[in-house]
Amino acid sequence: MSTERDRAERLKRLLDVQARKRRLAEWRLAELVREEAELKATSAEILESLGTQSLLNGLFLEGRASALRRNEAKIVLNVQNREATGKALVEAQRIEKRMERAVAEADLIALRREERDDLDLALDDYLAATGASLE
């Protein structure tokens, strides 16, 4: 196998690794979106529980307020993580696209090299056969 074909195969393996990294970033982003929806639902539940339907509601007000603050802090952290993961996903997509182009170019170079080697071999065989028949 030629060095060009070896290079093309290595680049294909790297492309597979990069595709996996991109998929992991996509899954992480989807998980963060799902987590954000859960956190917002939790905040809504806490706010609904602060209604005036119970006389004992004031006893639990501070606990619910601190739970709401903690939940809002988690939401802020989630948004930051989503932004970072989104940037990482875009970068992974860019790298993958560049890798795809490099793989295509390496395949083309390897194919050209193999065709040139085959042509050289056929030409050598022809010239050897022609030279032998003239002797």
Side-chain angles (χ1 to χ4, degrees):
M1 195 181 297
S2 69
T3 57
E4 288 85 2
R5 181 55 59 194
D6 289 340
R7 181 176 182 270
E9 293 301 321
R10 282 193 311 272
L11 284 173
K12 284 180 185 177
R13 288 193 300 271
L14 287 173
L15 179 61
D16 289 341
V17 170
Q18 188 60 41
R20 284 189 213 118
K21 285 176 68 175
R22 177 193 43 82
R23 283 194 302 270
L24 285 174
E26 288 173 347
W27 292 338
R28 177 69 179 139
L29 187 60
E31 177 67 21
L32 288 170
V33 168
R34 185 192 60 74
E35 183 181 307
E36 179 193 23
E38 290 174 359
L39 290 171
K40 286 184 178 181
T42 302
S43 288
E45 288 174 10
I46 292 171
L47 288 173
E48 287 176 11
S49 71
L50 293 174
T52 58
Q53 68 271 15
S54 173
L55 295 175
L56 297 176
N57 199 20
L59 297 175
F60 303 107
L61 189 60
E62 184 60 36
R64 289 181 182 151
S66 64
L68 186 60
R69 281 192 297 271
R70 282 191 308 270
N71 202 48
E72 291 301 316
K74 288 179 185 178
I75 289 174
V76 168
L77 182 62
N78 178 279
V79 168
Q80 292 171 349
N81 288 339
R82 268 190 336 179
E83 289 173 357
T85 303
K87 289 177 183 178
L89 175 59
V90 167
E91 185 61 26
Q93 289 170 333
R94 287 180 184 154
I95 291 171
E96 186 177 12
K97 188 54 90 173
R98 286 193 302 262
M99 292 288 298
E100 287 172 353
R101 284 189 220 115
V103 166
E105 184 180 334
D107 274 340
L108 184 61
I109 290 170
L111 182 62
R112 286 179 181 165
R113 175 63 183 215
E114 290 165 359
E115 288 175 350
R116 187 175 56 227
D117 290 345
D118 290 344
L119 184 60
D120 286 344
L121 185 60
L123 186 59
D124 287 344
D125 288 345
Y126 174 75
L127 291 176
T130 304
S133 65
L134 292 176
E135 295 176 352

